Amino acid sequence: MKKKYILFGFGIIGILLAAYAYYEYNRKAPDLKNKEAVENTTASLLLNDYASNEDSANKKYLGKIIQVKGTITEIQNQQDTSITILLGDTLQTGNVSCLMDSKHLEDVRKFTLGNVVNVKGICTGFLMDVELNRCVIVK
């Protein structure tokens, strides 16, 4: 009789663990549209911060939601599934690369090269450009 209760208990625990794993696997990242930005800057200032001292810029921006204002220098559209816009100017070598959130792709289609936009996203570091992910256009 005691074995039955033990097996039943393990079965319940197994079902609960499977349900939790399913929930976590299917959980969506929160939308940044209604989140508050920790920093508000321009593309030029952000690039200068990373160019002058990457370590201090990482402490200030990395993993945080930041809002960046800049001029669109390029729009990369990969088969309508993801859009990356590059913010910067012709005087600087780098750009701010903004990978747009797939829920807000229609907001980006309204803009063309040379438009000035405000973009909010999560800073993921500096490669050749400053990288922002899950970006949304701020109106």
Side-chain angles (χ1 to χ4, degrees):
M1 188 71 168
K2 193 174 186 181
K3 279 186 178 181
K4 259 188 189 178
Y5 289 121
I6 292 173
L7 288 175
F8 181 73
F10 279 126
I12 295 294
I13 290 171
I15 290 171
L16 291 174
L17 287 174
Y20 178 73
Y22 178 79
Y23 169 76
E24 287 296 316
Y25 180 76
N26 291 307
R27 182 174 53 150
K28 304 287 186 232
D31 191 1
L32 297 183
K33 190 100 175 158
N34 299 320
K35 298 280 185 177
E36 191 69 31
V38 175
E39 292 286 334
N40 194 346
T41 186
T42 65
S44 297
L45 289 174
L46 183 61
L47 287 166
N48 287 338
D49 283 351
Y50 269 99
S52 64
N53 189 340
E54 188 174 348
D55 289 333
S56 70
N58 276 337
K59 289 177 185 168
K60 187 174 181 180
Y61 301 114
L62 191 64
K64 297 177 181 166
I65 299 172
I66 61 173
Q67 183 171 325
V68 179
K69 181 179 184 176
T71 304
I72 298 175
T73 59
E74 186 177 345
I75 299 174
Q76 301 169 347
N77 188 356
Q78 289 100 18
Q79 302 167 345
D80 291 333
T81 56
S82 70
I83 295 176
T84 301
I85 61 173
L86 300 179
L87 303 179
D89 60 39
T90 56
L91 302 176
Q92 293 181 311
T93 57
N95 290 299
V96 177
S97 175
C98 306
L99 177 63
M100 302 307 293
D101 190 330
S102 60
K103 298 175 202 164
H104 301 283
L105 294 182
E106 288 305 315
D107 296 341
V108 180
R109 297 186 205 286
K110 302 172 189 170
F111 296 101
T112 59
L113 298 181
N115 288 138
V116 177
V117 294
N118 280 309
V119 176
K120 184 170 35 173
I122 297 175
C123 182
T124 56
F126 180 71
L127 299 171
M128 295 294 285
D129 299 323
V130 177
E131 303 289 329
L132 298 181
N133 287 333
R134 294 184 25 227
C135 297
V136 295
I137 300 290
V138 178
K139 298 179 180 173

